[in-house]
Amino acid sequence: MSQSETASSQVLTTVDVVVLTLVDGVLSVVLVQRERAPFAGVWALPGGYIHAQEDADAHASAARVLRSKAGIEEAYLEQLATFSGPARDPRGWSVAISYCALIPQQKLPAQRVSLKIVPVHAAGQLPFDHGQILQTALARVRSKSQYSSLPVHFFGESFSLPQLQQVYECILGEPLNKVSFRRKMDELGMLEPVPGEMQAGGAHRPAQLHRVRPAFRQQLALSVRGL
């Protein structure tokens, strides 16, 4: 083996996943406690090596890491970006294929000592370049929420349009006009009413519950115009 081939074989290849959820209307990130050096015992994004003999592709690697490191089986998952270089990992030159996952809070593991959920603004100092990866994910989610159905993946099976509008507003950080928002949801065409299902409205009228059409449960509806 030549010297160049030996050097290339030493590049570390991993996946890192930013798992976002909503807790009491606050955008939050899932962190796991690292078991091994470097940074043993430190809270970090779920991540791990690609298993060349086991994983069909990087997406499969990310899904496996979520299952094994965070106990997460069901999440909307999309590739985010690639981070690389000699300085991001003290073990050596590395390439990390990062992913962003969105999941309803109720689908997260009920109890897991090595897992915690914190508001994204309180994530603190993260190891490696996980802080940069988190910020990249937040920028992606906020950008895509302007013109796509991405925020629906923070919900479970059903939700009302007022609830959905609140989530869009939480992500975008600004209030939205109710009429314009509902028109945009109609244009996206990704929702259907749940027959006979209403949300109790307290002091307000009950709201019709909706669900994501099957065709859009693992892909996004897109709009040519933003909100």
Side-chain angles (χ1 to χ4, degrees):
M1 182 180 294
S2 70
Q3 184 176 356
S4 61
E5 289 174 330
T6 301
S8 65
S9 68
Q10 295 174 348
V11 173
L12 305 174
T13 308
T14 64
V15 290
D16 291 313
V17 187
V18 179
V19 184
L20 298 175
T21 190
L22 286 171
V23 179
D24 297 328
V26 177
L27 189 59
S28 303
V29 61
V30 175
L31 301 177
V32 297
Q33 194 169 31
R34 288 183 55 80
E35 296 179 351
R36 301 180 180 88
F39 306 111
V42 174
W43 294 97
L45 300 177
Y49 290 113
I50 289 176
H51 293 178
Q53 303 303 317
E54 177 183 351
D55 302 331
D57 51 28
H59 189 279
S61 297
R64 174 181 52 76
V65 163
L66 283 183
R67 288 193 303 271
S68 62
K69 298 291 181 69
I72 293 174
E73 295 282 354
E74 299 178 43
Y76 172 79
L77 186 64
E78 70 171 49
Q79 192 171 127
L80 180 62
T82 299
F83 296 82
S84 62
R88 62 174 306 274
D89 191 318
R91 291 169 293 189
W93 215 104
S94 68
V95 174
I97 304 170
S98 65
Y99 281 79
C100 183
L102 272 57
I103 189 168
Q105 182 185 3
Q106 60 267 32
K107 289 190 176 182
L108 290 170
Q111 291 184 338
R112 199 177 178 99
V113 175
S114 60
L115 181 150
K116 70 175 181 178
I117 306 167
V118 299
V120 294
H121 61 77
Q125 186 73 31
L126 299 176
F128 306 106
D129 52 0
H130 287 187
Q132 181 183 357
I133 296 174
L134 173 59
Q135 292 306 314
T136 302
L138 293 176
R140 166 75 65 85
V141 169
R142 287 165 179 154
S143 174
K144 292 190 79 167
S145 295
Q146 291 276 0
Y147 62 87
S148 81
S149 61
L150 186 65
V152 301
H153 296 288
F154 285 118
F155 287 100
E157 290 300 316
S158 61
F159 47 87
S160 67
L161 287 178
Q163 287 176 320
L164 182 59
Q165 181 171 339
Q166 288 176 1
V167 170
Y168 270 87
E169 291 174 340
C170 170
I171 295 170
L172 298 175
E174 60 183 359
L176 299 173
N177 177 270
K178 177 181 176 179
V179 175
S180 298
F181 176 78
R182 297 196 172 203
R183 184 183 302 120
K184 177 58 63 178
M185 294 304 103
D186 288 340
E187 290 176 5
L188 289 172
M190 84 284 193
L191 300 179
E192 61 183 11
V194 182
E197 294 290 333
M198 307 291 286
Q199 178 196 22
H204 305 283
R205 290 189 306 169
Q208 172 68 53
L209 292 178
H210 290 74
R211 63 191 173 201
V212 179
R213 297 180 188 275
F216 297 107
R217 289 174 187 168
Q218 285 301 319
Q219 66 182 41
L220 301 182
L222 304 176
S223 173
V224 295
R225 296 182 296 109
L227 287 169

